[in-house]
Amino acid sequence: MYRTHTCGELRLADVKKEVTLCGWIQKIRHLGGMIFIDLRDRYGITQLAFNHELKPELCEQVEKMGREWVIQATGIVIERYSKNPNIPTGEIEIDVQKVNVLNEAITPPFTIEDVSDGGDELRMKYRYLDLRRNPVKNNIIFRHKLGLEIRKYLNGQGFLEIETPFLVNSTPEGARDFLVPSRMNPGEFYALPQSPQTLKQLLMISGMDRYFQIVRCFRDEDLRADRQPEFTQIDCEMSFIEQEDILNLFEGLVKHIFKTFKNIDLEPIERITWADAMKYYGSDKPDARFGMRFVELNDLLQHKEFKVFNEAELVVGIKVDGCGNYSRKQLDGLVEFVKSPHVGAGGLVYILCNADGTFKSSVDKFYDQEDLKAVAVRCEANPGDLILIMSGKAMKTRTQLSALRLEMGNRLGLRKAGEYKVLWVVDFPLLEWDEETQRFYAMHHPFTAPKPEHEDMLESNPGAVNANAYDLVINGSEVGGGSIRIHDPELQKRMFKALNFTEEQAQSQFGFLIDAFRFGAPPHGGIAFGFDRLCAVLSDCDSIRDFIAFPKNNSGRDTMLPAPTPIAQAQLDELNIDIKIPQNAK
Amino acid sequence: MYRTHTCGELRLADVKKEVTLCGWIQKIRHLGGMIFIDLRDRYGITQLAFNHELKPELCEQVEKMGREWVIQATGIVIERYSKNPNIPTGEIEIDVQKVNVLNEAITPPFTIEDVSDGGDELRMKYRYLDLRRNPVKNNIIFRHKLGLEIRKYLNGQGFLEIETPFLVNSTPEGARDFLVPSRMNPGEFYALPQSPQTLKQLLMISGMDRYFQIVRCFRDEDLRADRQPEFTQIDCEMSFIEQEDILNLFEGLVKHIFKTFKNIDLEPIERITWADAMKYYGSDKPDARFGMRFVELNDLLQHKEFKVFNEAELVVGIKVDGCGNYSRKQLDGLVEFVKSPHVGAGGLVYILCNADGTFKSSVDKFYDQEDLKAVAVRCEANPGDLILIMSGKAMKTRTQLSALRLEMGNRLGLRKAGEYKVLWVVDFPLLEWDEETQRFYAMHHPFTAPKPEHEDMLESNPGAVNANAYDLVINGSEVGGGSIRIHDPELQKRMFKALNFTEEQAQSQFGFLIDAFRFGAPPHGGIAFGFDRLCAVLSDCDSIRDFIAFPKNNSGRDTMLPAPTPIAQAQLDELNIDIKIPQNAK
């Protein structure tokens, strides 16, 4: 062992001990006749002291060293004159007798400090240096702890962690697969799993009863910000249960996590139907840390000559407390926001609720004070509040108003770090109509069970069928989702039919699972949590990237390794494939 | 919840309770006026009882059911008349009031019993049924427990589990990579990692200090029996340590595992050098549960006219206790064994040590009693023992005699299940000479550190340099292996040179790591255990396949899913690749 202690553990009680520490030089300071080094390792920082007068040769040696050199220092623990209350080792320092250079270091391309001068690109290329920084390092440590705690909890609930294969079959329904050519089986390909969905259902058929896995999943999608081509899921499945059992069991897990890592006793998790989430928040993953619930206003605002409202499918508003004094400039700023490409609305109507009980709106031409008052009453607005109204096609308008709602939440500081609002969103629609292909798609996946009371409508009114499906939402982030699965082969057949599958198509894509169901499938269901996302949300971070040791950029590249890269022709030959890049994009 | 209890938990104390159980019908028996069902779930079997006279309709319903149907039964726990001491629930049964069919089942293609009539192929195709069988199910449960226990232990030792990426870069040195075409980067490929070796070294450079991961690894090799294209490794790395520290720390882990799962207090793990392992066992993974150590006999047997021995580089024997009475037929059997293709020896010389102190050998023509006695003395053979001697090129002969030694161990029952002999094999050679390509290859990998005292020979006598590398061997299986890594950039350069790499080649293949070393690399080293193998060895099983939920066959196929498969042209087009199968094999 190169060291007797780490850089995080020495205290006053250790004074007079001879110790050997190893680590990286965080900082070198010259102060009077002394040199001080902040020596850093994973566990902390300890100050090394070198006295010019008493140890001139040692100091000469130290003066050649630089930031991020790796050294080994032996000396005696002594009490510091000027203590540093900001670090746990701040009461002591090491009076160094001997120092060894274990490795030199060239100057890092950015500072290894909590707030670094490295841009994103540089940080990713030198990720191993970025990981030396406390914020990133602590994220990785948190992830480790969270993972282990979840494993222990689920083990305690009788779940078995069962590893499923990564070289599986391609299932074109859903997102795009990453494919792996098989050398041993020329012309054939494996796929990397988008999730172990079908495999965990097979495990239920095998009687494993309670399964989980913290497992990598792969989706070859065009990457939006904060998506990764490989990501980690806490994947769970249970047999002989109903939706209520799953919600309760995993509510227990969520509460345990909050208690363990946040010391927060979570309230019982509120449930909201998908329909209500859309109606009141315009989103299936509402940030419920603040109100500003949607108020529908069609009946109050479609009786005058304002064509924009009259032609709209939905007229809907939010009340913003205490913003009735917004200036023209501030209001223009909001209009600009909703017109920006990522919101894409045509405009915004506002009503300022004046202190004197009158109203001022951008549509005063069309509506009188009585009209505006009726809106204010419905919105429960008081003098001094602001009402923001949008209109158009119902779903689109909801989405746009949701963006505005979140923006107002940000501006007013209502989305507070350290405050958590957890929701179960339930009763999702089973199917989603796609205008382009003129067919229904499964909102979750083709194995999701309809609500028993809606089964009758599967043929007559498929769009109205709700599913036994649920999402866990924390502070506006979808952290988990799952469903009860279909276990009745007849119902599964009807589901495939609703999805426009011929029997042949169903058999060719999911035959292995359909066949398995014939050998005695138990009722079952499950849930999967996004582990990267969970880490980020619990740390009040927006980016999952900072919780992944070696993430990829938005082009799916690891710029550090680097990957992907061109490969040798011999490798292509062995795999029986050729590269064929079209000259003109199709 | 569909049930109040599992099929494994009811006892006499539960008598008179109303319970609901769910599970699969293991067996239906008709006995007098009764029908009995063995209902099975993951947790056990409980007997359901149906009385013809009292519940005629219920019995009518039950009579339509068959093996592996999934049912839900409600009834009262009662004491059994004829108890079954073989199962924990054997003192009670359920007097069933009501039964629900949750799912029917067609007849399984093999019996779901501890000893099944299913062949390997059938078991793999219907793996979800195979997993219902106790032996396979228990393997999967054991794997889960072992994995969690290892995670807890390493966490307790300050290791962080850090997930490394699966979409990495191809490193042609070593085994063959599985490749993944990148759609977003046409003509470029990711590789699936053969192990996180370079990534864990980067984590050490990042200061993570102690890393582990239970992680899938991928090798596209021609599969020998009991190899899998994807397998799981317990991958570990530590900083600021020496070989001794790693051996001690992981000896602690191994002891903890044996204590926890086998209730065995393991002796301190014996260490043997690679050279001694080869000399005394002819193998770098000796099964040391029994002796039969090799005895070298060149000096005793090369002085007569027996050309076979005189021309041999090595004449070496083993003594087999108590087999001096082997018949001619038995001895011929042994000769046949060593001549079989998988051993490939030319022949075998035996010496029977007769009860009267005389000797009978297959080379009596050449050697007199004195010669044979000298051999017997060296081998410490007593009257009644058998000496088996082989000869030829040294390494080849050792390997052949090792096969014979293991065979004799098997025949004599010396390789006892439930008995464990754990070894550290140390002081591996750093390099291996390859006759075909006329160059040295790294025995472990190019980052393995030479023994400091051998560094000087790296240029002058590379073949004689030993490495700070070690393997953990249990009962003749290599369960783990690792090394101290090079952390000095100069030494790494010399190593690449010894491996015949130009500086450009080294930079193009491992540039990301070489560059990283310039920013301050700590001394570090690690070890990786084969998790599948560890599970198998601890369970006295030969096959790792039975410890993998969904394994692949020897052609790398998952016959259940199935995978791999042909894919759609559209998918190929998106990936910018074409299939090109040569008409004639090259």
Side-chain angles (χ1 to χ4, degrees):
Chain A
M1 203 73 85
Y2 280 75
R3 64 190 172 198
T4 58
H5 294 78
T6 71
C7 295
E9 65 180 306
L10 294 170
R11 300 285 185 276
L12 266 186
D14 299 302
V15 163
K16 290 194 181 152
K17 278 187 194 159
E18 187 184 88
V19 300
T20 300
L21 301 184
C22 290
W24 287 260
I25 295 179
Q26 175 81 23
K27 214 184 277 175
I28 306 185
R29 274 162 304 147
H30 296 260
L31 211 72
M34 300 289 294
I35 305 178
F36 294 103
I37 287 181
D38 279 354
L39 190 67
R40 185 196 72 232
D41 67 9
R42 182 182 117 196
Y43 311 94
I45 281 180
T46 299
Q47 179 161 295
L48 308 180
F50 303 83
N51 188 312
H52 266 296
E53 203 167 321
L54 300 175
K55 305 251 167 52
E57 279 169 33
L58 204 56
C59 286
E60 204 174 306
Q61 193 189 353
V62 168
E63 273 172 343
K64 291 185 193 125
M65 299 177 186
R67 273 202 291 147
E68 301 304 320
W69 283 37
V70 187
I71 63 169
Q72 177 189 44
T74 301
I76 308 294
V77 183
I78 56 173
E79 185 169 357
R80 271 168 80 159
Y81 286 108
S82 81
K83 301 196 169 50
N84 179 352
N86 299 321
I87 56 173
T89 64
E91 296 192 297
I92 58 95
E93 64 189 13
I94 312 298
D95 177 20
V96 177
Q97 319 287 324
K98 197 180 153 219
V99 64
N100 261 334
V101 174
L102 298 174
N103 237 331
E104 302 186 3
I106 59 173
T107 309
F110 51 85
T111 53
I112 313 293
E113 306 274 358
D114 288 7
V115 177
S116 168
D117 56 359
D120 237 34
E121 230 170 287
L122 218 48
R123 287 178 51 208
M124 289 303 130
K125 180 162 170 54
Y126 298 96
R127 182 63 164 177
Y128 46 87
L129 298 179
D130 197 31
L131 286 167
R132 287 185 188 169
R133 296 172 50 238
N134 280 323
V136 188
K137 180 192 77 180
N138 290 337
N139 289 347
I140 301 297
I141 295 176
F142 174 66
R143 184 185 178 109
H144 157 73
K145 288 184 181 166
L146 182 58
L148 185 61
E149 198 57 37
I150 289 169
R151 284 189 159 100
K152 279 156 65 175
Y153 187 89
L154 291 175
N155 176 67
Q157 298 289 332
F159 286 81
L160 303 175
E161 184 159 26
I162 302 174
E163 294 176 57
T164 52
F166 282 120
L167 298 170
V168 299
N169 52 339
S170 182
T171 50
E173 184 83 0
R176 212 185 276 105
D177 288 320
F178 280 105
L179 296 177
V180 183
S182 166
R183 179 182 56 85
M184 293 224 274
N185 305 281
E188 301 193 340
F189 291 74
Y190 303 99
L192 300 179
Q194 296 179 27
S195 89
Q197 179 62 37
T198 52
L199 291 158
K200 69 178 175 176
Q201 293 195 247
L202 290 172
L203 287 173
M204 292 304 103
I205 294 172
S206 79
M208 287 298 166
D209 208 75
R210 293 185 169 199
Y211 144 92
F212 84 101
Q213 193 182 186
I214 300 188
V215 61
R216 203 70 52 82
C217 302
F218 304 85
R219 280 182 206 172
D220 185 11
E221 292 175 299
D222 295 320
L223 299 174
R224 284 181 278 153
D226 216 32
R227 282 278 186 101
Q228 289 279 316
E230 46 175 319
F231 56 96
T232 302
Q233 219 168 264
I234 307 161
D235 193 48
C236 310
E237 196 82 2
M238 305 168 73
S239 291
F240 301 118
I241 44 74
E242 291 163 301
Q243 171 168 314
E244 196 58 27
D245 305 311
I246 296 200
L247 297 189
N248 288 333
L249 194 143
F250 288 96
E251 181 156 339
L253 171 63
V254 172
K255 283 182 169 171
H256 178 73
I257 290 171
F258 271 92
K259 184 66 190 168
T260 306
F261 292 100
K262 297 272 149 192
N263 197 23
I264 291 175
D265 291 297
L266 217 59
E267 298 287 306
I269 298 181
E270 213 174 286
R271 299 188 190 177
I272 182 172
T273 64
W274 178 87
D276 278 352
M278 294 311 294
K279 184 171 179 183
Y280 294 116
Y281 298 99
S283 165
D284 57 4
K285 43 181 184 188
D287 184 347
R289 277 177 293 184
F290 65 108
M292 262 187 234
R293 285 160 63 108
F294 290 11
V295 181
E296 299 191 355
L297 302 167
N298 288 40
D299 56 324
L300 296 184
L301 291 172
Q302 290 188 323
H303 64 301
K304 291 289 173 73
E305 297 301 301
F306 188 44
K307 236 174 91 175
V308 173
F309 281 177
N310 292 351
E311 287 172 0
E313 189 185 351
L314 178 70
V315 182
V316 58
I318 54 174
K319 175 201 56 160
V320 188
D321 288 340
C323 292
N325 57 354
Y326 256 36
S327 67
R328 182 61 199 235
K329 197 176 156 203
Q330 283 174 302
L331 293 166
D332 284 350
L334 295 184
V335 173
E336 215 168 284
F337 172 81
V338 301
K339 284 182 166 176
S340 69
H342 89 274
V343 181
L348 174 69
V349 167
Y350 63 81
I351 304 175
L352 296 161
C353 306
N354 297 323
D356 63 2
T358 64
F359 302 94
K360 166 90 193 87
S361 92
S362 52
V363 286
D364 282 344
K365 226 188 322 182
F366 301 100
Y367 299 99
D368 57 31
Q369 290 285 313
E370 277 312 299
D371 294 328
L372 300 178
K373 186 170 183 184
V375 170
V377 167
R378 163 114 17 120
C379 291
E380 298 177 15
N382 294 315
D385 292 346
L386 169 67
I387 295 168
L388 299 170
I389 302 172
M390 296 176 79
S391 63
K393 292 285 283 180
M395 283 312 247
K396 204 172 152 192
T397 303
R398 288 191 176 110
T399 305
Q400 292 164 345
L401 187 60
S402 170
L404 179 62
R405 176 178 172 274
L406 293 177
E407 173 67 14
M408 294 311 297
N410 286 338
R411 292 189 183 199
L412 299 173
L414 301 175
R415 307 178 72 184
K416 292 197 190 89
E419 195 176 289
Y420 300 94
K421 183 70 190 183
V422 189
L423 292 176
W424 285 117
V425 180
V426 296
D427 298 356
F428 275 78
L430 182 68
L431 303 165
E432 237 175 345
W433 179 256
D434 182 61
E435 279 298 332
E436 199 182 325
T437 53
Q438 289 283 307
R439 53 162 276 205
F440 280 106
Y441 283 86
M443 198 144 178
H444 274 66
H445 52 65
F447 309 105
T448 300
K451 295 229 165 255
E453 63 270 28
H454 287 186
E455 266 179 39
D456 284 349
M457 297 191 294
L458 198 51
E459 288 78 16
S460 57
N461 188 8
V465 176
N466 280 348
N468 268 329
Y470 31 82
D471 274 0
L472 184 83
V473 173
I474 304 180
N475 293 356
S477 281
E478 181 200 324
V479 165
S483 65
I484 300 299
R485 327 299 180 188
I486 298 170
H487 68 275
D488 171 10
E490 279 311 305
L491 183 57
Q492 186 67 61
K493 266 190 199 163
R494 288 169 59 198
M495 177 70 174
F496 277 127
K497 214 165 165 191
L499 291 170
N500 247 29
F501 276 57
T502 63
E503 240 173 83
E504 292 69 38
Q505 284 170 328
Q507 191 62 33
S508 98
Q509 278 195 39
F510 298 109
F512 64 103
L513 190 58
I514 297 170
D515 287 349
F517 274 114
R518 295 155 65 224
F519 290 100
H524 62 290
I527 191 165
F529 299 92
F531 188 40
D532 314 292
R533 175 69 54 202
L534 182 64
C535 291
V537 167
L538 288 173
S539 306
D540 297 302
C541 268
D542 284 332
S543 165
I544 62 169
R545 212 179 272 181
D546 283 340
F547 293 82
I548 297 172
F550 300 108
K552 293 190 172 54
N553 72 12
N554 279 348
S555 323
R557 276 197 182 281
D558 183 323
T559 55
M560 176 190 69
L561 289 177
T565 60
I567 57 163
Q569 184 62 41
Q571 284 176 290
L572 291 174
D573 291 344
E574 272 199 318
L575 295 174
N576 300 291
I577 57 172
D578 239 357
I579 293 170
K580 184 196 64 176
I581 302 179
Q583 291 305 305
N584 307 305
K586 289 176 195 176
Chain B
M1 204 72 85
Y2 280 74
R3 64 191 173 198
T4 58
H5 295 76
T6 70
C7 294
E9 66 180 306
L10 294 170
R11 301 285 184 277
L12 264 186
D14 299 301
V15 163
K16 288 193 183 154
K17 279 188 193 157
E18 188 184 88
V19 300
T20 301
L21 301 184
C22 290
W24 286 260
I25 295 179
Q26 175 81 22
K27 214 185 275 172
I28 306 185
R29 272 162 305 148
H30 297 260
L31 211 72
M34 300 289 293
I35 305 178
F36 295 104
I37 287 182
D38 279 355
L39 191 67
R40 185 196 72 232
D41 66 11
R42 182 182 117 196
Y43 311 93
I45 282 180
T46 299
Q47 178 161 295
L48 309 179
F50 303 83
N51 189 312
H52 266 295
E53 203 167 324
L54 299 175
K55 305 252 166 51
E57 278 169 33
L58 203 55
C59 287
E60 205 174 305
Q61 193 189 353
V62 168
E63 273 170 345
K64 289 185 195 124
M65 300 177 185
R67 273 202 289 147
E68 300 304 319
W69 283 36
V70 187
I71 63 169
Q72 178 189 43
T74 300
I76 307 295
V77 184
I78 56 172
E79 185 170 357
R80 269 167 83 158
Y81 287 106
S82 81
K83 300 196 167 54
N84 179 351
N86 299 322
I87 57 173
T89 63
E91 295 191 297
I92 57 94
E93 64 189 12
I94 312 298
D95 176 21
V96 178
Q97 319 287 323
K98 198 181 151 217
V99 64
N100 261 333
V101 174
L102 297 174
N103 237 332
E104 302 186 5
I106 59 173
T107 308
F110 51 83
T111 53
I112 313 293
E113 305 274 356
D114 288 6
V115 177
S116 168
D117 55 0
D120 238 33
E121 229 171 288
L122 218 47
R123 285 179 51 208
M124 289 304 129
K125 181 162 170 53
Y126 299 95
R127 182 63 165 176
Y128 46 86
L129 298 179
D130 197 30
L131 286 166
R132 288 186 188 168
R133 296 171 50 237
N134 280 322
V136 189
K137 181 192 77 182
N138 289 337
N139 288 347
I140 301 297
I141 294 176
F142 174 65
R143 184 185 177 109
H144 157 73
K145 288 184 182 165
L146 182 58
L148 185 62
E149 198 59 37
I150 289 170
R151 285 190 158 100
K152 279 156 63 174
Y153 187 89
L154 291 175
N155 175 67
Q157 297 290 331
F159 286 80
L160 302 175
E161 184 159 26
I162 302 175
E163 293 176 58
T164 52
F166 282 120
L167 296 171
V168 299
N169 52 338
S170 182
T171 50
E173 184 82 1
R176 210 184 279 105
D177 288 321
F178 280 105
L179 296 177
V180 184
S182 166
R183 178 182 56 87
M184 293 223 274
N185 305 281
E188 301 192 341
F189 291 74
Y190 304 99
L192 300 179
Q194 295 179 30
S195 88
Q197 180 61 38
T198 52
L199 291 158
K200 70 179 176 177
Q201 293 194 245
L202 290 172
L203 287 173
M204 293 304 102
I205 294 172
S206 79
M208 287 298 166
D209 207 75
R210 294 187 168 198
Y211 143 92
F212 85 102
Q213 192 181 189
I214 301 188
V215 61
R216 203 71 51 83
C217 301
F218 304 85
R219 280 181 206 171
D220 185 12
E221 293 175 298
D222 295 320
L223 300 173
R224 285 181 277 154
D226 217 31
R227 283 277 187 100
Q228 289 280 317
E230 47 175 318
F231 56 97
T232 302
Q233 219 168 262
I234 305 161
D235 193 48
C236 309
E237 196 81 1
M238 304 168 73
S239 291
F240 302 118
I241 44 75
E242 291 162 303
Q243 172 169 313
E244 196 58 27
D245 304 310
I246 296 200
L247 297 189
N248 288 333
L249 193 145
F250 288 95
E251 181 155 337
L253 171 64
V254 172
K255 282 181 170 172
H256 178 74
I257 290 171
F258 271 91
K259 186 63 189 170
T260 306
F261 292 100
K262 297 271 149 192
N263 198 25
I264 291 175
D265 291 297
L266 218 57
E267 298 288 306
I269 298 180
E270 214 175 284
R271 299 188 190 178
I272 182 171
T273 65
W274 179 86
D276 277 353
M278 295 310 294
K279 184 171 178 183
Y280 294 116
Y281 298 98
S283 165
D284 58 3
K285 45 181 184 189
D287 185 346
R289 275 176 294 184
F290 65 107
M292 262 187 234
R293 285 161 63 107
F294 290 10
V295 181
E296 298 191 356
L297 303 167
N298 289 39
D299 58 324
L300 296 184
L301 292 172
Q302 291 187 322
H303 65 301
K304 291 291 173 71
E305 297 301 301
F306 187 44
K307 238 174 89 176
V308 174
F309 281 177
N310 294 350
E311 288 172 358
E313 188 185 352
L314 179 69
V315 183
V316 58
I318 52 174
K319 174 202 57 161
V320 188
D321 289 339
C323 292
N325 57 354
Y326 257 36
S327 67
R328 183 62 202 235
K329 198 177 153 200
Q330 283 175 304
L331 293 166
D332 285 349
L334 295 184
V335 173
E336 215 169 284
F337 172 81
V338 301
K339 285 182 165 175
S340 69
H342 88 274
V343 180
L348 173 70
V349 166
Y350 63 81
I351 303 176
L352 297 160
C353 307
N354 297 323
D356 62 3
T358 63
F359 302 94
K360 168 86 193 92
S361 91
S362 51
V363 286
D364 283 343
K365 231 193 311 190
F366 301 101
Y367 300 100
D368 57 31
Q369 290 285 313
E370 278 312 298
D371 295 327
L372 301 178
K373 186 170 181 183
V375 171
V377 167
R378 164 123 4 128
C379 293
E380 299 178 13
N382 295 314
D385 292 346
L386 168 68
I387 296 168
L388 300 170
I389 303 172
M390 297 176 77
S391 64
K393 293 284 282 180
M395 284 310 247
K396 203 172 154 191
T397 303
R398 287 193 176 109
T399 305
Q400 292 165 346
L401 187 60
S402 170
L404 179 62
R405 176 180 172 273
L406 293 176
E407 174 67 14
M408 293 312 296
N410 286 336
R411 291 190 184 199
L412 298 173
L414 301 174
R415 308 179 72 185
K416 292 196 191 90
E419 196 176 288
Y420 300 94
K421 183 71 191 184
V422 188
L423 292 177
W424 284 118
V425 180
V426 297
D427 298 356
F428 275 78
L430 182 68
L431 303 165
E432 236 175 345
W433 179 257
D434 182 60
E435 280 298 330
E436 198 183 325
T437 54
Q438 288 285 306
R439 53 163 276 203
F440 280 106
Y441 283 86
M443 198 143 178
H444 273 66
H445 53 65
F447 309 105
T448 301
K451 295 231 165 253
E453 63 272 26
H454 287 187
E455 267 179 37
D456 284 348
M457 296 191 293
L458 199 51
E459 288 78 16
S460 56
N461 189 6
V465 176
N466 280 347
N468 268 330
Y470 31 81
D471 274 0
L472 184 82
V473 173
I474 304 180
N475 292 357
S477 281
E478 180 200 325
V479 166
S483 65
I484 300 299
R485 327 298 181 188
I486 298 170
H487 69 276
D488 172 10
E490 279 313 304
L491 183 58
Q492 185 67 60
K493 266 189 196 162
R494 289 169 60 198
M495 178 68 176
F496 277 128
K497 214 165 166 190
L499 291 171
N500 247 29
F501 276 58
T502 65
E503 240 173 83
E504 292 69 38
Q505 284 171 327
Q507 191 62 34
S508 97
Q509 277 194 39
F510 297 110
F512 64 102
L513 190 58
I514 296 169
D515 288 348
F517 273 113
R518 296 154 64 223
F519 290 100
H524 62 289
I527 192 166
F529 300 91
F531 188 42
D532 314 293
R533 174 69 55 204
L534 181 63
C535 291
V537 167
L538 288 173
S539 306
D540 297 301
C541 269
D542 286 331
S543 165
I544 62 169
R545 211 179 272 182
D546 282 341
F547 292 82
I548 297 172
F550 299 108
K552 293 189 173 52
N553 72 12
N554 280 348
S555 323
R557 276 197 182 281
D558 182 324
T559 55
M560 177 190 69
L561 288 177
T565 60
I567 57 164
Q569 184 62 41
Q571 284 176 289
L572 292 174
D573 291 344
E574 273 200 318
L575 295 174
N576 300 291
I577 58 172
D578 240 356
I579 293 170
K580 182 195 67 175
I581 302 178
Q583 290 306 302
N584 308 305
K586 289 176 195 177

